[in-house]
Amino acid sequence: MHKTRDLLGHVYMTAFLIYLLVPLLVMGGAAFNDSKLPTIVPWVGFTDRWFIDLWNDTRVWIAFRNTILVALGVVALAVPIGTAGAILINSISGRWRASLYGLMVAPILIPGVVIGISTLLFWNNFNVGAGLHLSVLGQVSYIASFVMLLVLARLQSFDAGLAEAALDLGASHSQLMRRILLPHLYPAIGAGAAIAFFQSIENFNVTLFTRGGQDTLTVYVFSKVRSGIPPTINALALLLILFTLGLAIWWELT
C-alpha cells in the first residue's frame, strides 16, 4: 500500500511538471521556428528573425520602460504600506484585529477590472487623469496586501520579549524598530518586494483601465494577440521567462 501511494505520488508529480513545462518548451521552440505561425509543427527551420524583429520594435522598448517604472513605483509604495499594516495588525488584538485584517486582505479578492475602474473613477473626482501614476496607485491598492501577509507571517516568529527587554534597557521605539524589529523582518520585506515587482509586471486588468495612452508589456501583448499570436510574442515570452529564472537563481545564490 505504501509503495502504491508513493508510485501514484511520483506519477502525479511527473504529470504535473509535464503539464507546466511542455507549453513553455513549445513556446520557446516556436520562437526559433522560421514560420509565421506560433508553432513548432511543422518545423520550417531555425531562425533568430523574431528576436531581431522584436529588438527593432520601438514600441516594445517603450512598453518595457513603462512596465519597469510602474513596477518600481509599486514596490516603493506597497512595501512600506504592507509592512506598516502588518505591524499594526500584529500590535492589536480582539475584534479590531480581525476587522482590520479582513479590510487589508479584501483587495486581493476583488477582481482586477473592478479595481481598475474604481481607481479611475475615484481619482477623476479630484481631476487626476489616467496615466502610469494611476496604474501605480491602482496596483498598490491590492499588491500591498500580499506584502502585508508575508510580513505578518514573519512577525509570528518574533520574540516579543526582545522588544520588552530593549525598552527596559532604555531603547527608544525608533531604535527598537531600526535595530531589532526591521532586521528580523528583512527577509519577508525582501520577498514582499520581489512579489510586488513581479505582480506589477504581469498585471493587466488594473493597468488597462488606468494607463491612459501609455503602453506596458501586458497591454502591448494584448494589442498584438487580438488578431492572432505573432512569433515575436513567443520571443518576448521566452526572454521574460529567462529574465525571471535569472533573477530567481540570483536570489537563491545571494
Side-chain angles (χ1 to χ4, degrees):
M1 184 66 180
H2 181 71
K3 292 182 178 180
T4 302
R5 185 174 59 185
D6 290 343
L7 178 61
L8 291 176
H10 284 94
V11 170
Y12 172 79
M13 182 60 65
T14 302
F16 180 71
L17 291 176
I18 291 175
Y19 177 79
L20 289 179
L21 296 178
V22 167
L24 299 181
L25 294 175
V26 172
M27 179 207 65
F32 295 100
N33 188 14
D34 193 9
S35 170
K36 292 185 178 180
L37 298 176
T39 180
I40 59 175
V41 179
W43 182 263
V44 178
F46 183 86
T47 182
D48 60 355
R49 61 182 291 197
W50 310 124
F51 293 93
I52 296 175
D53 290 346
L54 184 67
W55 178 270
N56 294 328
D57 188 349
T58 56
R59 184 182 171 193
V60 73
W61 288 109
I62 295 174
F64 177 76
R65 180 202 64 191
N66 291 341
T67 300
I68 296 300
L69 290 176
V70 170
L72 292 176
V74 169
V75 170
L77 292 178
V79 170
I81 292 174
T83 302
I87 294 174
L88 177 61
I89 291 175
N90 192 66
S91 64
I92 60 179
S93 59
R95 183 177 59 185
W96 288 107
R97 175 172 181 168
S99 300
L100 183 59
Y101 179 83
L103 186 64
M104 287 288 292
V105 173
I108 299 178
L109 308 177
I110 300 175
V113 174
V114 176
I115 294 178
I117 295 175
S118 300
T119 301
L120 184 63
L121 294 178
F122 175 80
W123 288 102
N124 275 342
N125 292 327
F126 300 95
N127 296 321
V128 178
L132 296 180
H133 54 285
L134 277 195
S135 297
V136 172
L137 295 177
Q139 292 179 27
V140 167
S141 64
Y142 80 94
I143 291 178
S145 300
F146 290 105
V147 180
M148 183 270 294
L149 290 174
L150 286 171
V151 176
L152 189 59
R154 179 69 175 175
L155 278 170
Q156 304 309 307
S157 63
F158 180 70
D159 185 2
L162 292 177
E164 295 177 0
L167 293 175
D168 290 341
L169 292 173
S172 64
H173 284 86
S174 61
Q175 290 175 325
L176 170 63
M177 179 71 68
R178 293 196 314 269
R179 300 184 180 182
I180 298 179
L181 184 58
L182 286 181
H184 179 77
L185 298 179
Y186 281 157
I189 293 174
I195 288 179
F197 184 82
F198 287 111
Q199 280 284 332
S200 175
I201 286 180
E202 63 88 25
N203 181 268
F204 172 72
N205 290 326
V206 175
T207 305
L208 181 65
F209 288 97
T210 57
R211 65 186 175 93
Q214 302 292 324
D215 269 342
T216 62
L217 283 178
T218 53
V219 175
Y220 168 83
V221 171
F222 173 73
S223 67
K224 288 288 187 179
V225 303
R226 282 186 296 181
S227 58
I229 303 177
T232 52
I233 297 300
N234 289 325
L236 175 61
L238 179 60
L239 292 175
L240 289 176
I241 290 174
L242 293 177
F243 172 72
T244 304
L245 287 176
L247 284 181
I249 294 173
W250 172 81
W251 180 266
E252 290 295 328
L253 294 178
T254 55

